[in-house]
Amino acid sequence: MTKILIDGVEVDVPGDYTLLQACEAAGAEIPRFCYHERLSIAGNCRMCLVEVKGAPKPIASCAQQVKDQRPPKDEPIPVVFTKSPMVVKARQGVMEFLLINHPLDCPICDQGGECDLQDQSMAYGRGGSRFGENKRAVEEKFMGPLVKTVMTRCIQCTRCVRFVTEVAGVPEIGATGRGEDMEITTYLEAALSSELSANVIDLCPVGALTSKPYAFNARPWELSKTESVDVMDALGSAIRIDSRGDEVLRVLPRLNEEINEEWISDKTRYACDGLKRQRLDRPYIRERGKLREASWDEALFATAEALKRDPKRIGAVAGDLACAESMKAVLDLFRALGSPNTDCNWDGARFGSERASYLFNATIMGIDEADAILLVGTNPRLEAPVLNARIRKAWLHNDARIALIGVGAELTYPYAHLGEGPQALNELGAFADVLAKAKRPVAIVGAHVFTRKDAAAIAAALGKLSLQREGWNGYSVLHTGAARVGGLDLGFTPGAGGMSGAEMLAGGCEALLLLGVDEAPPPRAGTIIYLGTHGDAGAHRADIILPGAAYAEKNATWVNTEGRVQYGRRATFPKGEAREDWAIIRALSARLGKTLPYDDLGALRAKMIADHPTFGQVDYAPGAATAFDPAKLGTPGPLDAAPLISPIRDFFLTNPIARASVTMAQCARAASERAGAKAAAE
């Protein structure tokens, strides 16, 4: 630790702190444009100037470390001033230069109201400008369907350049020219290909990079802001939903060091326009092959009649967007009816009964400590882009060695490709020594691996790897559905003698309730009841449609891939006559004479916690709290030669909300064109 005097306040900070960090530790506010805590230091905006006693001129506090400062002759420790006349004048001069070419278009700029340049020019700038020449103009750049560019506003802070290079790992933005001719642009004027590309909008301190789909829609002071949880993948990223009236206008990331830091994927950010398209806003009943509108009384009566059959011939399957409350209500109802046929594994996956057998035990934040990572049947860039950035961070800053077993993927870090089939687990070669010597080894196993016939043999092979350390369990399952871990924690699996989800979908039931199941093969049943939000595949096959609430329209519980219980909060109300899923099941239970013992969300959650105590551990990731040997999942046996393939084919179209989104359709088209152009070039 090193002592330093800042504005008369003595602080003791680590020597490798920058002066900017030391000043903030002392309570001083330092303006900045180019500096960002998660990016490398550029030192090119000069807004963070401070005065160090004894130095001949102001210095950039972001580019100087505390340990490099020397005390003046009359002081025992270095002395720094952040509000001296020299600093005030220097910052005014820097701000004047930054505004020389900046256009006066704040009234029409989407950054207005949340612009760093506006705020800091008011606080640190001069009252006028002495520059009377014409301002320079820069041509707009094409960065794809998500990022709108007005590069005349750019102040060349290079945050976007550093983000796509260092965090996203897809170096597609750079600077051309020098001096006044310098411009930020994409190489070859092509769309950005990173799944995290729109984070540059949050990073841009001016209005040079803004949201193209959100352009001219609203001002920030018009929006209601709701803190919630993302459901586009299984990470449970912290998000803020901004809405006006009954419409969700945008989704932004919230800071959560343990999960997403401050990044979100493009799908999380932009699929929200799918919340208002192709919505189910009233019940429907199929008659003579056609769906007709129905009242709730009719729909609930028809559903109750369909479920008044042999309990062994009715079932329920939960999809990837079902919340824990809806699954708990369905589970309680079907057990009350005497049916053992419930399953959240619609794809046929089979996990062990131990919680550690299906969790990401290393935890998401634990990836930062990993020094050896084995990817098995997964493509984290498509299944969890924010986690993929964590893996790149481990490779970049922790020298982590990475290997892949499965079909080769275009990841954002170098890796050793050990083979496409699971046989490679028994033939790791030199990587076996890497895992054995690693202090924090991790095996990230794609959840789709457990749908294979040889899943037990694969688990047994994983059990032979050296993944356990004191206080560390590197066996980590990466789920793709936001609902899967919550369903497994609830026991939304077949009861004694019950059918699996695959068996029910294949025609094992006379009446089948689909709780937001849209990705499964076409179900076969006498009567198909669909409870969901969009007119997607599940609704097209249904005989009875019960309109539910989307994730932004209800207070709900979600459990992410690491077992962290999180609460999502309602930003808008359900569309039309739609209702919250658990409330629909509660009303249905009364029609069936099996009234569920809760009438409000609080009572339902109390029952859920009483029956499943893990739901009371909010925002807690168990990690290696329970050691687990994956060999318990199966016995050694023959491994199928079929390659391990990630289930995601199109990142932008993985669920009903995304498929209803115009923006996601544009992204999918751009990605397809990019893939076609690459194939042609090859």
Side-chain angles (χ1 to χ4, degrees):
M1 304 292 281
T2 306
K3 293 184 185 299
I4 187 169
L5 191 66
I6 300 173
D7 290 339
V9 178
E10 183 178 306
V11 292
D12 198 1
V13 296
D16 56 0
Y17 261 32
T18 63
L19 281 179
L20 190 152
Q21 291 172 307
C23 290
E24 290 187 334
E29 181 179 340
I30 305 296
R32 84 291 301 267
F33 290 114
C34 68
Y35 176 81
H36 192 277
E37 293 82 356
R38 303 186 197 280
L39 304 176
S40 62
I41 293 172
N44 54 6
C45 79
R46 319 310 286 182
M47 196 64 207
C48 63
L49 293 174
V50 297
E51 179 185 356
V52 177
K53 189 173 182 179
K57 58 183 180 180
I59 65 172
S61 60
C62 71
Q64 292 279 337
Q65 290 186 311
V66 172
K67 64 184 179 183
D68 295 328
Q69 308 309 308
R70 297 293 177 264
K73 292 181 180 180
D74 56 342
E75 298 286 350
I77 58 176
V79 179
V80 176
F81 302 104
T82 67
K83 301 176 183 177
S84 66
M86 176 194 288
V87 172
V88 171
K89 185 176 181 180
R91 289 176 181 168
Q92 288 179 346
V94 169
M95 180 60 71
E96 192 173 2
F97 277 117
L98 289 175
L99 293 175
I100 278 176
N101 285 312
H102 197 80
L104 299 175
D105 55 3
C106 296
I108 61 164
C109 177
D110 275 315
Q111 198 85 349
E114 48 192 7
C115 176
D116 290 348
L117 189 63
Q118 279 183 334
D119 297 340
Q120 294 187 36
S121 63
M122 288 291 293
Y124 303 102
R126 295 179 74 251
S129 173
R130 292 171 290 180
F131 189 76
E133 305 299 323
N134 292 329
K135 294 178 180 288
R136 78 164 188 166
V138 181
E139 288 185 3
E140 309 310 345
K141 306 297 187 292
F142 175 72
M143 292 191 181
L146 302 180
V147 181
K148 176 187 174 184
T149 64
V150 184
M151 300 313 290
T152 301
R153 301 171 184 160
C154 180
I155 61 171
Q156 289 90 41
C157 70
T158 69
R159 278 187 181 183
C160 56
V161 178
R162 285 174 284 150
F163 172 81
V164 299
T165 303
E166 299 165 11
V167 178
V170 184
E172 296 175 333
I173 301 180
T176 63
R178 301 180 66 183
E180 193 176 62
D181 295 326
M182 180 178 175
E183 296 182 17
I184 303 294
T185 182
T186 56
Y187 301 118
L188 305 178
E189 291 285 333
L192 299 176
S193 63
S194 171
E195 294 76 19
L196 299 170
S197 65
N199 286 288
V200 299
I201 296 168
D202 298 331
L203 289 171
C204 183
V206 296
L209 303 178
T210 55
S211 172
K212 189 174 286 187
Y214 177 70
F216 308 124
N217 274 353
R219 287 299 192 185
W221 54 83
E222 301 174 344
L223 304 175
S224 298
K225 302 169 177 63
T226 307
E227 294 185 353
S228 192
V229 178
D230 173 46
V231 299
M232 294 295 127
D233 56 34
L235 288 196
S237 298
I239 61 173
R240 192 186 83 192
I241 302 173
D242 287 0
S243 58
R244 184 175 60 189
D246 64 347
E247 184 178 354
V248 173
L249 292 181
R250 66 177 180 178
V251 172
L252 298 176
R254 285 190 294 121
L255 182 66
N256 189 326
E257 295 290 352
E258 297 184 352
I259 302 178
N260 60 308
E261 297 180 308
E262 56 189 272
W263 320 124
I264 54 174
S265 72
D266 293 347
K267 181 166 57 178
T268 298
R269 187 184 299 266
Y270 285 117
C272 60
D273 67 319
L275 292 170
K276 62 182 179 182
R277 293 185 173 88
Q278 298 183 13
R279 289 300 302 271
L280 300 174
D281 58 356
R282 65 199 67 188
Y284 290 87
I285 296 176
R286 190 177 298 276
E287 289 182 351
R288 292 186 292 276
K290 293 184 178 181
L291 289 169
R292 68 165 179 86
E293 295 179 13
S295 66
W296 270 110
D297 280 341
E298 287 181 284
L300 290 175
F301 176 80
T303 303
E305 290 300 308
L307 295 177
K308 288 179 181 177
R309 303 185 186 185
D310 180 0
K312 294 183 179 179
R313 302 293 295 169
I314 62 174
V317 181
D320 288 339
L321 295 182
C323 63
E325 285 84 358
S326 62
M327 288 188 285
K328 176 61 176 172
V330 170
L331 183 65
D332 287 350
L333 175 59
F334 273 71
R335 292 297 183 263
L337 293 172
S339 173
N341 303 321
T342 53
D343 203 357
C344 63
N345 298 306
W346 58 265
D347 54 1
R350 281 293 167 263
F351 303 94
S353 56
E354 250 183 284
R355 199 167 185 235
S357 70
Y358 55 81
L359 292 186
F360 198 94
N361 295 295
T363 71
I364 297 168
M365 194 174 184
I367 292 296
D368 292 349
E369 304 175 33
D371 49 0
I373 302 174
L374 176 64
L375 306 175
V376 182
T378 182
N379 181 349
R381 181 172 176 180
L382 299 183
E383 296 174 25
V386 175
L387 177 69
N388 189 66
R390 286 266 193 184
I391 298 173
R392 174 176 168 80
K393 183 179 175 183
W395 165 74
L396 201 60
H397 300 294
N398 206 28
D399 294 326
R401 299 276 298 278
I402 304 169
L404 170 68
I405 296 177
V407 174
E410 188 177 349
L411 302 178
T412 57
Y413 36 79
Y415 63 88
H417 193 191
L418 304 181
E420 293 192 346
Q423 296 93 338
L425 285 167
N426 298 324
E427 304 166 2
L428 294 179
F431 200 77
D433 294 333
V434 173
L435 285 175
K437 295 176 182 178
K439 295 179 180 179
R440 290 288 187 265
V442 178
I444 300 178
V445 187
H448 192 65
V449 168
F450 297 92
T451 65
R452 294 170 55 108
K453 294 180 180 179
D454 59 348
I458 293 175
L462 286 167
K464 297 177 183 178
L465 303 180
S466 177
L467 301 173
Q468 308 276 346
R469 301 289 185 272
E470 184 177 353
W472 179 264
N473 182 0
Y475 177 77
S476 304
V477 179
L478 178 57
H479 292 274
T480 55
R484 191 64 59 93
V485 175
L488 294 169
D489 283 349
L490 288 168
F492 201 95
T493 50
M499 289 181 278
S500 69
E503 291 171 334
M504 286 185 273
L505 291 167
C509 293
E510 294 177 4
L512 180 61
L513 172 63
L514 301 180
L515 189 58
V517 179
D518 290 280
E519 280 68 49
R524 303 171 191 166
T527 303
I528 297 174
I529 305 144
Y530 178 78
L531 199 170
T533 60
H534 284 72
D536 206 88
H540 291 170
R541 305 160 186 158
D543 299 299
I544 303 171
I545 295 176
L546 307 175
Y551 76 99
E553 301 163 359
K554 58 185 175 182
N555 295 310
T557 303
W558 309 92
V559 187
N560 76 347
T561 190
E562 60 181 352
R564 186 187 300 270
V565 177
Q566 298 175 288
Y567 289 148
R569 293 175 175 82
R570 182 175 62 202
T572 61
F573 286 93
K575 298 291 184 286
E577 297 178 27
R579 297 292 181 268
E580 294 189 22
D581 305 18
W582 74 266
I584 296 172
I585 300 302
R586 169 62 179 78
L588 177 61
S589 70
R591 296 296 183 102
L592 288 164
K594 302 289 184 181
T595 305
L596 295 175
Y598 31 79
D599 296 323
D600 55 44
L601 183 64
L604 170 54
R605 283 181 172 169
K607 178 76 162 54
M608 189 162 62
I609 293 171
D611 293 347
H612 314 280
T614 56
F615 283 89
Q617 301 172 347
V618 180
D619 202 27
Y620 166 71
T626 303
F628 172 73
D629 182 2
K632 294 179 182 178
L633 291 178
T635 55
L639 293 168
D640 196 332
L644 296 167
I645 305 174
S646 171
I648 295 182
R649 294 290 171 269
D650 194 326
F651 168 74
F652 298 103
L653 304 175
T654 55
N655 59 60
I657 299 174
R659 287 191 288 272
S661 166
V662 171
T663 306
M664 291 297 96
Q666 293 171 345
C667 290
R669 188 183 309 115
S672 177
E673 292 172 354
R674 186 166 56 246
K678 183 177 179 181
E682 291 174 347

